[in-house]
Amino acid sequence: MDIPGGLILDPPNLKPWRNVPVRRYISERFQRPTAFQNDANAAAFGESWVGCGRGLRSFVLFTLGTGIGGGIVVDGKIVEGQHSHAGELGHIKIEITSSRLCGCGQRGCLEAYASATAVVARVREALAESGQTSSLGAFSTFTARDIFQAADAGDRLAAAIVDDTARYLAVGAATVMHVLDPDAIAFGGGMALAGERFIARIREHVPQFAFPTPAQRCEIRRAVLEGNAGVIGAAGCGRLLLHR
Ligand SMILES: [Zn+2]
């Protein structure tokens, strides 16, 4: 990719450990201080700043979309980790035998079971198995939203897949509780738009997997900024930079 101004990014030759000075480039180009942040981290920061995590000391967000992203905010700061890989919540391992392949190349990640893409794949696989019937079988294509609607309308296969998805996400939430024990864990992104009933299902499953105290006290919430969380969070990161 040739960016006007002389900086050349050459993806085929990029190594994972090679730093690309995007922030410095933009800052020099526009002569402004520049914040640079991962989208899910920015969304977590947005929810923590003015959304469902407002006023909390420690807050974690799972973003449920085609993949699963995550972000951790403690004392007003995004926890980025020593190597910028903290908060990769979609790659919490929830299964180590016969496990599904994740987009990251490993197996058994939460994302491979509970992202919108994975939910559709799991329904397709269930439909292909003998004896499984569903209203969704009449359609050549369907989305995670269709599956949630079918579950609400009483489709048993869809309801079972949705409940298993809530259970997988509860395992992810419990893991976060055991690592960080935050004030609250929220779920956002396209699939959380399925609504409070889905979040309530996750909440119900958490005590099976978490220690009793965090299971009782760590709140499971639905994110409120919807599609704006990332851009609001990015603005918040920029604001922090200016007021540092
Ligand atoms: Zn993964």
Side-chain angles (χ1 to χ4, degrees):
M1 176 166 45
D2 192 354
I3 296 178
L7 180 77
I8 294 171
L9 303 182
D10 188 7
N13 295 323
L14 283 182
K15 298 286 191 293
W17 56 87
R18 181 172 151 183
N19 291 324
V20 178
V22 174
R23 174 166 50 191
R24 195 183 74 207
Y25 172 78
I26 293 173
S27 180
E28 287 174 2
R29 189 90 172 138
F30 292 95
Q31 293 294 297
R32 292 283 187 280
T34 301
F36 187 68
Q37 192 49 263
N38 164 295
D39 56 351
N41 283 353
F45 190 79
E47 289 285 351
S48 161
W49 181 30
V50 294
C52 72
R54 190 172 184 168
L56 301 179
R57 278 197 65 190
S58 53
F59 171 78
V60 174
L61 176 71
F62 285 79
T63 57
L64 311 177
T66 51
I68 296 182
I72 302 165
V73 182
V74 177
D75 292 332
K77 291 189 178 132
I78 296 169
V79 176
E80 301 197 56
Q82 202 58 35
H83 314 95
S84 301
H85 276 64
E88 291 292 349
L89 307 181
H91 306 283
I92 290 172
K93 301 295 181 281
I94 63 165
E95 178 65 77
I96 56 168
T97 52
S98 308
S99 43
R100 302 180 69 87
L101 183 64
C102 181
C104 74
Q106 296 195 354
R107 289 185 173 274
C109 300
L110 180 60
E111 177 173 302
Y113 289 80
S115 65
T117 313
V119 169
V120 171
R122 286 171 42 231
V123 169
R124 285 197 182 289
E125 289 163 14
L127 284 171
E129 287 173 18
S130 60
Q132 297 267 21
T133 56
S134 163
S135 58
L136 294 161
F139 302 98
S140 56
T141 62
F142 47 82
T143 64
R145 181 187 296 253
D146 298 329
I147 294 165
F148 279 84
Q149 284 176 351
D152 284 344
D155 185 287
R156 288 179 63 182
L157 185 144
I161 296 278
V162 166
D163 194 54
D164 279 347
T165 304
R167 200 156 52 89
Y168 296 141
L169 291 169
V171 173
T175 302
V176 166
M177 290 174 190
H178 297 151
V179 173
L180 187 70
D181 190 13
D183 289 313
I185 297 171
F187 291 87
M191 224 163 69
L193 297 178
E196 182 53 39
R197 278 175 64 181
F198 182 55
I199 305 299
R201 275 216 169 92
I202 299 172
R203 204 178 281 129
E204 285 164 18
H205 284 298
V206 163
Q208 298 167 50
F209 306 110
F211 281 152
T213 300
Q216 280 173 13
R217 296 190 183 170
C218 173
E219 288 190 39
I220 303 292
R221 299 182 176 181
R222 185 154 76 102
V224 294
L225 300 180
E226 300 188 352
N228 298 319
V231 73
I232 290 171
C237 293
R239 183 173 169 273
L240 270 189
L241 201 69
L242 292 174
H243 295 277
R244 197 163 57 180

